[in-house]
Amino acid sequence: MSFFSEALWVLLLGSLLGLELIGKVPPTLHTPLMSGANAISGITMLAALTLIIKSGDNLPLLIIGSISLGFALFNVIGGFLVTDRMLAMFSRKKTRK
Amino acid sequence: MSFFSEALWVLLLGSLLGLELIGKVPPTLHTPLMSGANAISGITMLAALTLIIKSGDNLPLLIIGSISLGFALFNVIGGFLVTDRMLAMFSRKKTRK
Amino acid sequence: MTFIAPIKFAIDLLAVLLLALGIKGLSKVRSAREANRLAAIAMMLAAFGVLLNSQGTIGISINSWIWIICGTLIGGLLGALTAKRVPMTAMPEIVALFNGCGGMSSLLVALGVALFPSSESSDGIVGELIRNFSIVVSLFVGAITFSGSIVAMAKLQGWLSTPSWTQSKARHFFNIFCAVLASIGGIYLLIDGKNGLFLILIASSLLGVGVTLPIGGADMPVVISLLNSYSGVAAAAAGFVVGSQLLIVAGAMVGAAGLILTQVMCDGMNRSLVSVLFGGALGASSASSGGGGGEYTNITSCSPEECALSLEAAERVVIVPGYGLAVAQAQHTLREVTRVLENADIEVTYAIHPVAGRMPGHMNVLLAEADVPYEQLKEMDIINPEFPATDVVLVLGANDVVNPQAKTDQSSPLYGMPVLDVQEARTVFVVKRGMSAGYSGIKNDLFDLPNTSMVFGDAKKVLGDLLLELKELGVGSKG
Amino acid sequence: MTFIAPIKFAIDLLAVLLLALGIKGLSKVRSAREANRLAAIAMMLAAFGVLLNSQGTIGISINSWIWIICGTLIGGLLGALTAKRVPMTAMPEIVALFNGCGGMSSLLVALGVALFPSSESSDGIVGELIRNFSIVVSLFVGAITFSGSIVAMAKLQGWLSTPSWTQSKARHFFNIFCAVLASIGGIYLLIDGKNGLFLILIASSLLGVGVTLPIGGADMPVVISLLNSYSGVAAAAAGFVVGSQLLIVAGAMVGAAGLILTQVMCDGMNRSLVSVLFGGALGASSASSGGGGGEYTNITSCSPEECALSLEAAERVVIVPGYGLAVAQAQHTLREVTRVLENADIEVTYAIHPVAGRMPGHMNVLLAEADVPYEQLKEMDIINPEFPATDVVLVLGANDVVNPQAKTDQSSPLYGMPVLDVQEARTVFVVKRGMSAGYSGIKNDLFDLPNTSMVFGDAKKVLGDLLLELKELGVGSKG
Ligand SMILES: NC(=O)c1ccc[n+]([C@@H]2O[C@H](COP(=O)([O-])OP(=O)(O)OC[C@H]3O[C@@H](n4cnc5c(N)ncnc54)[C@H](OP(=O)(O)O)[C@@H]3O)[C@@H](O)[C@H]2O)c1
Ligand SMILES: NC(=O)c1ccc[n+]([C@@H]2O[C@H](COP(=O)([O-])OP(=O)(O)OC[C@H]3O[C@@H](n4cnc5c(N)ncnc54)[C@H](OP(=O)(O)O)[C@@H]3O)[C@@H](O)[C@H]2O)c1
C-alpha cells in the first residue's frame, strides 16, 4: 500500500496546487503559458527513461522505450525553446518600453 | 524511510498549496479568516487522540494526552463558533441588502 | 482490518480536500460562512477517521475512551462557552487565546512522546533523528505560540502594559539569549532524546514573551496572525511526531496560508512585517511625543450644542467611525443619535475605512452590533466622491483614516495609504478627547482646516450630550 | 547506495518546487521568461535524478545507455530544429504537435509495460489492479491526446477540412460508440492485464479524432489547451505505471493548471467549454449561411486610392489588425505603410484587442515579427477613449472585435464581449475580401454606418496598393 498511499496524496495535493497556481492570466500570455505547460507535460520522459533502464536486454522493450523517450524529448526541448522564442518577443518589446 | 518520504512530499505540497490558497482578501474578512485558520490549526487534536490511544495504561501519559486534547478542542470548537458568529454578522447584513 | 486502512485513508484525503476548500472559501465574502462549516466538518471527519482506524487496528481501551471523553467535553464546552460569551469587540484577544491553546496542545503531545518514548519505533537512526527533530520543533514553536499568544491577549485586554525596558535595545539581547538557550536545549534533545527538554520549554516560552511584549497593541492583529501561522507549523511538527500525514498537510497548509494572511494584513495597514516585529510599539513612542511632527496653529473647538445646531440644519450627514468610538464603546449611543437624525429626514450614511479601528472589519462588526442597517455602511471608494455634496461629517474617534497628509505630503509615513476625503465636505466635526495623535503618531492636517471644528471629550459622553441637545431642539420628534 | 536515495529524493522535491514556481511565473508577464527557464532546469534536474538513482542502485547497462542517448539525441534535435524553424504565426499547430508527442510518449510507456510486464511487481492483488488501471488510463488518455492533437494540427495547417458529416448529430453516436469500445477494452485489460490492449488503443485514437475533427479552426487553441491538460493526466498515469511520485505530482499539476488555463481562454473569447467541445464548428455553419443575421443595406465601398487620400489628410491614424491580417501574412506590408505615414508626421497607433486573431496574443506576436515598436501597441481599454479624436481607422481583416452589436444589441451572441469602438472615429476603412462574416458568423453593423467605407481585397494586396498610392502622392518622402 505504501507507494500507492503516497502516490494518492501526491496526486491530490498536486492537482489542488495546479488548480490554484494559475489565477488571472493576461490574454497575451495564454499561448506561451499553454506552450510552457505543454513542455512540462513532457516530464513523461522520466517514465521512458525508467522503462529503458529496467528493460535489461529485452530488445523490443528497449526500442519502445527509446521511441517513447524520443517523443518526450521532442515535446520537452521543442516546447521550452518555442516558449522562449515567444516570450523573447514580448520581453524584447518590454525593455524597449 | 517510507513514512518520512511520504511526509516530506506532503509537507512540501501542503505548504505550496497553503501559499496559493489565499489571494486577495477584503479587509473585512481578515479577522474571520484568521480566526477560521486558527480553528483549523487545532487539528493537532488528532495528535492528542493518537497519543491517548497509544498510551495504554500509562497514567501520566493519559493525563498529558487528555489535557492536550482539551486544549486542542478548546481551540477548535471555540474557533469555529466564534468565526461563525463573526460571519453571521456579515451575512445577516448581506441578506438585508 | 484490511478494509479499515483504505477507508481511513479515503477519509484523510477527503478531509484535506475539504480543509483546502474551507481555507479558500473563507477568503471570499460570499462563501465564507459555508466554508467555515465545511472546515468544521472536515475536522470532525478527520477525528472520526483516527478513532475508526485505531478501534479497528490496535483497539481503544476503556481507559483511553474515558480520558478522550473527558478532554473533549471539558475543552469543547469551555471553548463553546467562551465563543458565545465574548463580546464582538474582544475578537482579537479571544482568537489569540484560542491560538495559544492550539500551540499548547502540540507542545503537550511532543512533551508526552519525549517523556515516554514508545518502544515500538524502529525506523533506524535516521528515523530516530527525524522524530527527535520534530519533537524539538514542536516544543519550540508550541511554546512560542503559547506564551506569545497569551501575552498578546493580555496586552489587548489591558492586563499588561508595555514595560519601558522592552522598548530599549536590551530586549534584542534578551531575545537572542533565549533563542541561543533554546537551540542548545534542542541540540541536547536531538542527541539523546530526553535532556534539554525543559531548557527548550523555558527558553522558548521566554522568547515568545520577549518578542511579543514590546509590540504595541495596535499591531497585535498582525502578530496574532503570525502566531497562528506558527501554530500551524507546530501542528505539522506534531504530525511528524505521531506519524500522521493528515496532520502534516493540514498544519503545513494553515502555516503557509497564515503567513500569506499576515502579509496581506500588513499591506492593508501600510506596515512591513519586519517593522511590526522588531520596530517596538508605534503607539508607545508616539504617545510620549505628544502630537508629533508639527504644531497645530488654527484649531477651532466647539461645544456639542453648536454641533447639534449644525446637524439640525443639515440634509446629508456622514459618520466616520474610528478606533476611539470602539474604545469608548459608543456605538449604541451613536445609533440613537442617528435614529433621531433619520426621524428628522436627514440622510445618514457611515463611511467605513478598511483599516479604521484596530482589527480588520472592526467598524463593520461594531456597527452591526448596534443594529446599523447594512445599506448605510459605505466603503471608502464609494463614499469618497460623495463628500463634496455632504453638509456635515462627524468624525468619531478616527484620526489617521481622515488625515489628508496621506494624499498631499510625500514625506509623511502615511503617504500612499488611501484615506477618506472628509475635508471636501462643508463642515467637519471631530470628536476626540484631546489633541493627541492616532495610531501612526502623526499630526493631522485636517484639524487645522477652517471648516473643521473639534468637539473635545470621550466619544460616548459627547454623543450622549449631542442626543440631549438634539432632543431639546426637538429634532426628529415628529412634531 | 544509502546516500543516493535521499539525494534523489531531495532532487525530486526541488524539481517539483521549481516546476510549481515555473508554472506560476509563466502566468505573469514580468517573470514569464525566467519561469520558462526555471521549468526547463527543473526538468533537467529530474532527469538527472532518475539517472543518478538508477546508476547507483540497479545500475544502467551499456545497452540502455545507447538507447537512451539515441532517443534523447534524435528527439531533442528534431524538437530544437522544429522550434527554431517554425514561423511565429504557426504557434498553435506546433504546440499541438509537441503536445501530441507527449501523449504518445506516455502511451508507449504504458504499452511497453503492458506487453512486457516486469516480474518484480509484488504489491498483491490491489497493487496489480491499480497498476493495470494506470495502464488503461495512460493508454486511453495518451491515445486521445495524440490523435486529437495531430488532427488539431492538421486542421490548423489547412491539411484537413471539416467534413460535413462531422457537423451532423451522427458524430455523437460515433464518439459514444468509440468510448464504449474503449471502456470494454479497458475492463478486459484490467482483468487480465493483456487482452484488450489494442482495442483500447484503436478505439481511443478514433475517439480523439472524432471529438477534434468537428471543431472549427478558430476554437482550436482551446482544444489544444484541453489536450495539453490531458497529456498532464497521461503523464501522471505513467507515473503510477512506473512508480514515480515526481511524475505524478508534475502530471497532476500540469493537468489541473491546463484545465484552469482552458477555462480562462474560453472566458477570454466569450465561449463556454461545452459549446466549444460539442457545438461543432462555428465558422463552418456561418460560412455557409453567408452574412448571417440580417442583410446589409448601406454599404459604401471605395478604392485603395481614396483610402490613401484620406490617410494623407489625417493627423491621427489607428490600425486595427485582425485575423484576416494574419491569414494574409500582411504584417510586413503593413509595417511599410505605417513607416511611410510616420515619415509624414502622421501619428500611428495599433489597437490590440485581446482576442483578435485566432490565438491569444496573436496580434502582439504578429506585429512584433514585423518590428512594430511596442509603444505603438495599445490595449483596448487604453485606446477606446481615444477613438473620438482619431481621424482615420484602418480595420485590417478584423471583424468581430469591431462589431458595435456587442455593446448595443442584447440579443446578439456577441453581447457583452468588450469591443473596440472604432465607429467613434471620423472615418473608418475596413479592408476585407468580401462581405462574409467573421468567427462568430454575425452581421457587423459597423459596415452599414455612414462613416465606414469598405476596401475589398486580400489584406496584403490592398496594403501593397495603398503603399503605391501613398508613394505616388509623395507622402512621407521628406520633400
Ligand atoms: N483595522 C486594522 O486592522 C488595524 C490594525 C492595526 C492598526 N491599524 C491602524 O489604526 C489606525 C486606524 O485609524 P483610526 O482613524 O481608526 O484610529 P487612530 O488614527 O488610531 O485614531 C484614534 C483616535 O481616537 C481618539 N480616541 C481614543 N479614545 C477615544 C475616546 N474614548 N473617545 C473619543 N476619541 C478617542 C484618539 O485621540 P484622543 O486620544 O485625542 O482622544 C485617536 O486620535 C490606522 O493607522 C491603521 O493603520 C488598523
Ligand atoms: N484570439 C484568440 O485567442 C481567439 C481564438 C479563437 C477564436 N477567437 C475569435 O476570433 C475572433 C477574432 O476577431 P477578428 O476581428 O480578429 O477576426 P474575425 O472576426 O474572425 O474576422 C476576420 C475577418 O478577416 C477577413 N479576412 C479573412 N481573410 C482575409 C484576407 N486574406 N485578407 C483580408 N481580410 C481577410 C474575413 O472577412 P472576408 O472573408 O470577407 O475577407 C473576416 O471577416 C473573435 O470572435 C474571437 O472570439 C479568438
Side-chain angles (χ1 to χ4, degrees), chain B residues 27 31 41 43 66 68 84-85 93, chain C residues 33 67 83 86 105 231 247 360:
Chain B
T31 307
S41 74
I43 186 94
S66 184
S68 169
D84 192 65
R85 253 186 82 193
K93 293 171 302 170
Chain C
R33 205 165 175 201
W67 286 103
V86 63
S105 172
S231 73
L247 216 59

Side-chain angles (χ1 to χ4, degrees), chain D residues 218 323 355 357-360 397 399-400 432-434 436 439 458-459:
Chain D
Y323 174 62
V355 297
R358 283 299 177 266
M359 75 186 191
N399 192 337
D400 295 342
K432 64 201 294 280
R433 295 166 311 177
S436 64
Y439 170 61
D458 176 85

Side-chain angles (χ1 to χ4, degrees), chain C residues 218 269 322-324 327-328 355-360 397-401 431-439 457-459:
Chain C
M269 13 188 283
Y323 174 61
V327 174
V355 297
R358 284 296 177 272
M359 75 185 194
N399 192 338
D400 295 343
V401 300
V431 178
K432 63 202 294 279
R433 294 165 314 174
M435 290 307 295
S436 62
Y439 170 62
D458 176 85

Side-chain angles (χ1 to χ4, degrees), chain D residues 83-102:
Chain D
K84 292 278 170 216
R85 287 275 173 79
V86 63
M88 268 299 146
T89 39
M91 274 312 142
E93 41 262 52
I94 215 65
V95 174
L97 176 65
F98 287 145
N99 189 45
C101 291

Side-chain angles (χ1 to χ4, degrees), chain A residues 30-31, chain D residues 217-222 265 268-271 321-325 327-329 353-363 396-402 414 417 431-440 447 456-460:
Chain A
H30 287 177
T31 307
Chain D
D219 281 333
M220 274 308 161
V222 177
M265 285 172 82
M269 14 188 283
N270 230 7
R271 288 272 267 154
Y323 174 62
L325 187 78
V327 174
Q329 295 274 6
H353 189 282
V355 297
R358 283 299 177 266
M359 75 186 191
H362 207 162
M363 290 306 134
L396 294 166
N399 192 337
D400 295 342
V401 299
V402 294
L414 279 183
M417 175 167 124
V431 178
K432 64 201 294 280
R433 295 166 311 177
M435 288 308 297
S436 64
Y439 170 61
S440 66
F447 304 162
F456 290 116
D458 176 85
K460 190 165 190 167

Side-chain angles (χ1 to χ4, degrees), chain D residues 215-219 271 280-289 358 437-441:
Chain D
I215 298 175
D219 281 333
R271 288 272 267 154
L282 254 188
S285 60
S286 67
S288 54
S289 71
R358 283 299 177 266
Y439 170 61
S440 66

